[in-house]
Amino acid sequence: MKNLMNTPQTIVDDALAGMAAVHPSLQLDAEHRVIHRAHPKKEGLVGIISGGGSGHEPLHAGFVGEGVLDAACSGEVFTSPVPDQIMAAAKHADRGAGVLFIVKNYTGDVMNFEMAAELAAAESDIEIETVVIADDVAVEDSTFTAGRRGVGATVLVEKIAGAAAERGDSLQQVAEIARRAAEASRSMGMALTSVTVPANGKPSFDLPSDEVEIGIGIHGEPGRHREKLTSAAEITRTLMDPLLAELPGEGGVLLFVNGMGATPLLELYVVAKEAAAVLGEAEIPLQRSLVGDYITSLDMAGCSITLLRLDDDLADLWDAPASTPGLTMGGSR
């Protein structure tokens, strides 16, 4: 396999250094592999951090900036950051009103963020709240997880919680909004090809050219089943039906069509068209949308679909301005 890297051992550090080098709004704490805002938000506002294994860019470091995260810590590829890294990120994010941890539901991430919260309680005066994202409807328990995996909703929760923090909500209020958004979200993904981890240099699993994997995780974990490659319309419906079956509440939705890293935007918009058609058939208003590569799996070809049931407050927070390397919004739909 071909990769643009110096060595597998330095790829994460090199990428973080590159991000900081080209984005003046960001700074790198190289010792802890933490990207944080170069110009912190004002005192008295809630700080928000997230993090996880590298390989999912722009998640998480690419969402550090105005309106979203204050800091993000990166582990090795597909490997959780350790508690010391998370604590360093929390210290960079703290503005005196507490810090919210947004954590994808993977065993290592949950354990290490919990340990960091315990360290914060024992060694600092930073108040911590934690929200765990578990939106993947594909499987109940899987490789790396107890319960459902945290996938696409992570992006939406980070944006919504970030806006709540920017407007001055308290730590408890920001955490409640983040939980509400997480609980109102459902996701499911599929793969056309395997992921190749740079250190391994070969595909993580074998997927014949005429088959797709339905319900994969963002680390290449197996999904519900394999089936023959069919039309985008049929694949999209296969993903949408379980989402609609479990989507809570009533009213309109935010539709998030996410690329896994190697799928052209041309194809993602085909999926978006088909997903919008399924929503129309179900008489569910499509109120907001996001299409593109936001939570990826290195070079995997495929996509995921996330639906978030919106209320007025969640919609307003989604629309709030944001300026980050991976997501910029100017307050419009």
Side-chain angles (χ1 to χ4, degrees):
M1 304 299 293
K2 298 177 181 179
N3 300 96
L4 286 170
M5 62 181 177
N6 295 317
T7 70
Q9 293 73 31
T10 64
I11 189 169
V12 172
D13 294 309
D14 289 345
L16 293 174
M19 180 176 288
V22 301
H23 294 291
S25 63
L26 304 180
Q27 284 188 349
L28 171 63
D29 173 351
E31 177 185 357
H32 296 103
R33 285 180 168 170
V34 171
I35 290 283
H36 59 94
R37 297 192 195 191
H39 305 288
K41 63 174 57 153
K42 67 182 181 180
E43 288 287 340
L45 296 181
V46 171
I48 301 182
I49 74 165
S50 193
S54 299
H56 305 303
E57 289 73 21
L59 194 82
H60 295 277
F63 300 135
V64 173
E66 180 186 351
V68 195
L69 300 177
D70 294 277
C73 46
S74 299
E76 290 289 346
V77 172
F78 296 171
T79 303
S80 172
V82 298
D84 285 350
Q85 291 179 264
I86 299 164
M87 266 303 299
K91 290 176 180 177
H92 285 295
D94 180 38
R95 306 303 291 161
V99 174
L100 176 67
F101 290 176
I102 297 176
V103 186
K104 301 186 303 301
N105 188 35
Y106 291 94
T107 303
D109 289 30
V110 171
M111 177 183 68
N112 287 326
F113 273 89
E114 285 179 349
M115 292 175 65
E118 293 170 0
L119 283 174
E123 300 178 3
S124 75
D125 58 357
I126 303 174
E127 184 180 359
I128 303 294
E129 286 278 349
T130 299
V131 173
V132 176
I133 313 298
D135 55 311
D136 190 352
V137 306
V139 289
E140 189 61 39
D141 294 292
S142 67
T143 310
F144 306 132
T145 67
R148 288 181 162 172
R149 302 175 290 218
V151 287
T154 311
V155 177
L156 311 184
V157 172
E158 289 180 357
K159 168 63 180 73
I160 287 167
E166 296 279 2
R167 75 180 180 186
D169 288 14
S170 70
L171 178 60
Q172 289 70 33
Q173 288 171 326
V174 174
E176 188 278 329
I177 287 166
R179 291 189 186 101
R180 194 166 83 240
E183 291 165 2
S185 301
R186 299 291 186 273
S187 299
M188 192 165 174
M190 57 78 61
L192 294 163
T193 66
S194 174
V195 59
T196 303
V197 176
N200 296 339
K202 61 182 180 180
S204 297
F205 59 88
D206 177 56
L207 186 58
S209 60
D210 63 343
E211 292 184 0
V212 297
E213 181 99 23
I214 300 295
I216 49 90
I218 56 173
H219 308 96
E221 307 99 310
R224 287 187 171 187
H225 64 274
R226 291 185 178 184
E227 60 184 46
K228 293 296 183 181
L229 176 63
T230 56
S231 67
E234 292 181 61
I235 291 171
T236 301
R237 189 171 294 275
T238 298
L239 298 179
M240 288 287 287
D241 285 347
L243 302 184
L244 295 178
E246 293 201 21
L247 190 66
E250 298 179 353
V253 298
L254 187 162
L255 168 65
F256 174 27
V257 178
N258 173 67
M260 302 305 294
T263 301
L265 195 57
L266 181 74
E267 296 176 25
L268 296 181
Y269 274 113
V270 174
V271 173
K273 165 190 175 281
E274 301 301 338
V278 174
L279 290 172
E281 292 173 11
E283 299 183 341
I284 297 174
L286 171 54
Q287 294 184 337
R288 304 289 191 277
S289 63
L290 182 67
V291 180
D293 286 345
Y294 294 97
I295 174 170
T296 62
S297 183
L298 292 171
D299 62 344
M300 181 186 287
C303 70
S304 63
I305 299 176
T306 301
L307 297 179
L308 165 60
R309 186 79 78 173
L310 292 171
D311 57 32
D312 289 344
D313 190 37
L314 293 180
D316 287 345
L317 291 166
W318 177 256
D319 289 341
S323 180
T324 76
L327 178 65
T328 296
M329 299 177 66
S332 64
R333 298 184 187 183

